[in-house]
Amino acid sequence: MTELQKPLAPKNAFSANRLIGVDDLSDAEIYYLLDLAEYYAGFVDRSEPAPQILTGKTQINLFFEDSTRTNLSFELAGKKLGTDVINVPVAASSLHKGESLVDTARTLAAMGADVMVVRAKEEGLHEQLSKILDCAIVNGGAGALEHPTQALLDAATITMEVGPLKDKTIAICGDVKHSRVASSDAQLFTRLGATVRFVGPAALMPSSNEFPDVERFKSLATGLDNADIAMGLRMQFERMADTDKIREAAKDYFNEFGLTHETMKHAKSGAKVMHPGPMNRGVEICGNLADDRSVSLIEKQVFYGVAIRMAVLDALSAKE
Ligand code: NCD
């Protein structure tokens, strides 16, 4: 990757001091973050140190739900920019002594946090924290509602590896109903001019009054027809009410909705496959397809995840 000039932030950008949902971003801020991620991806790609613009700042990662990619890439991103990063060991924290999530966050903010990255199943927590805390609040995943940095890294991956999202057709397949990734992706991709489709069984679709701009398909054959990208999603059993029934139904799921080299033939020739991870091989995606770098962008998504989080951390702290 060639060395790029650092892009200039749009005027008055990121003044709300938060990234909780895609709606927090103006179009100019979205394009700026994608450009900034491209700039930082160059340093990561060349294994060169990035400018230490966040030296002296403190970033606290507070993950109340499990995470590998998001938590660790936020940690790496912060460290690459020179910030002090603390990962809160939630399992060993005072939450187990009855302290509320808000009081835990308040305590951490009082230690001098400049930015707090929060993942929680409670969908209103981030809003609440951004009202009471002075530090920047970044959403690392909120229930089934939003995962804006995943959407940004997915958009960065498509832009860098396939081309601008405008006029692309992106089929998001599987457990859309319980997916914060599907929700944030659909909003962001639509904003960037792509056509978004949801593909999956009726039981895993969001209710019909949500996502009015997204077309819905009940089969891969029709849903992938002429698509540029197929995105697989894990069955998020932890958010399902009637888990036993759905687990039973999931046994046949791969035959009908599994992404494979064979089912990708419905898509445009040269179409790519994506997945936010963690993936369940043999359930929503075939391992051979996921590992085939001529089709799969899954590792690229992880790579751009670090760069997009560097961009978000830079943007939120540079606004001061
Ligand atoms: C996703 C999440 O946590 O929402 N993973 C991620 O952040 N890369 C998807 C999932 O859990 O299935």
Side-chain angles (χ1 to χ4, degrees):
M1 263 177 193
T2 49
E3 204 159 330
L4 296 171
Q5 278 276 1
K6 187 171 181 181
L8 281 178
K11 277 217 159 30
N12 303 321
F14 307 100
S15 52
N17 208 19
R18 53 181 251 175
L19 175 53
I20 296 179
V22 171
D23 267 353
D24 282 328
L25 299 170
S26 66
D27 288 356
E29 287 167 339
I30 294 169
Y31 287 111
Y32 169 66
L33 286 173
L34 295 176
D35 287 347
L36 196 53
E38 185 180 359
Y39 165 77
Y40 280 127
F43 290 94
V44 180
D45 193 52
R46 296 187 300 270
S47 299
E48 263 175 35
Q52 302 292 286
I53 57 155
L54 298 184
T55 304
K57 302 268 184 188
T58 301
Q59 172 190 334
I60 294 186
N61 296 337
L62 182 56
F63 280 62
F64 297 111
E65 281 189 316
D66 296 345
S67 177
T68 304
R69 278 149 283 265
T70 308
N71 193 351
L72 296 182
S73 64
F74 264 115
E75 177 176 0
L76 196 52
K79 286 179 171 166
K80 281 184 179 293
L81 295 174
T83 195
D84 293 323
V85 184
I86 294 172
N87 283 312
V88 180
V90 167
S93 71
S94 285
L95 283 163
H96 301 285
K97 297 181 182 174
E99 186 170 72
S100 72
L101 303 189
V102 172
D103 281 338
T104 300
R106 239 193 255 268
T107 304
L108 296 166
M111 290 181 191
D114 296 287
V115 56
M116 206 178 288
V117 184
V118 182
R119 169 172 286 195
K121 67 174 190 304
E122 292 76 8
E123 293 178 352
L125 180 67
H126 298 79
E127 284 286 344
Q128 203 183 346
L129 293 182
S130 81
K131 286 195 183 108
I132 58 176
L133 303 183
D134 290 333
C135 62
I137 300 292
V138 181
N139 180 359
L145 199 64
E146 284 258 21
H147 194 350
T149 61
Q150 180 71 42
L152 286 163
L153 79 87
D154 287 339
T157 306
I158 297 169
T159 307
M160 297 292 290
E161 301 296 324
V162 184
L165 275 91
K166 191 164 166 23
D167 301 328
K168 295 277 182 306
T169 298
I170 301 163
I172 303 180
C173 309
D175 182 9
V176 176
K177 179 176 179 167
H178 302 100
S179 173
R180 53 194 173 208
V181 176
S183 165
S184 291
D185 275 359
Q187 295 177 62
L188 185 68
F189 296 172
T190 310
R191 288 268 296 275
L192 294 173
T195 298
V196 178
R197 299 174 179 170
F198 289 158
V199 187
L204 298 179
M205 283 287 139
S207 73
S208 52
N209 54 356
E210 291 177 276
F211 305 100
D213 298 333
V214 176
E215 264 192 280
R216 294 152 190 245
F217 296 84
K218 290 193 185 115
S219 84
L220 280 183
T222 53
L224 292 188
D225 182 40
N226 219 23
D228 297 277
I229 309 276
M231 166 129 19
L233 296 173
R234 178 178 69 89
M235 293 265 195
Q236 292 135 92
F237 291 114
E238 70 275 23
R239 298 196 192 107
M240 294 180 190
D242 199 350
T243 315
D244 290 345
K245 214 159 121 196
I246 299 180
R247 264 187 210 279
E248 191 52 40
K251 286 186 182 152
D252 280 339
Y253 181 82
F254 184 74
N255 293 333
E256 224 181 318
F257 290 101
L259 294 174
T260 64
H261 280 105
E262 201 50 39
T263 54
M264 284 298 286
K265 286 184 185 156
H266 295 299
K268 203 177 259 180
S269 142
K272 302 289 184 193
V273 70
M274 297 173 71
H275 194 302
M279 62 185 160
N280 293 149
R281 291 165 185 260
V283 181
E284 73 276 8
I285 190 165
C286 169
N288 289 339
L289 179 69
D291 295 340
D292 179 352
R293 290 192 177 125
S294 69
V295 189
S296 169
L297 297 178
I298 296 171
E299 286 177 0
K300 296 282 183 191
Q301 289 172 269
V302 178
F303 171 78
Y304 290 112
V306 177
I308 211 78
R309 285 161 182 140
M310 291 170 81
V312 166
L313 294 169
D314 173 338
L316 283 173
S317 57
K319 49 129 204 36
E320 290 163 50

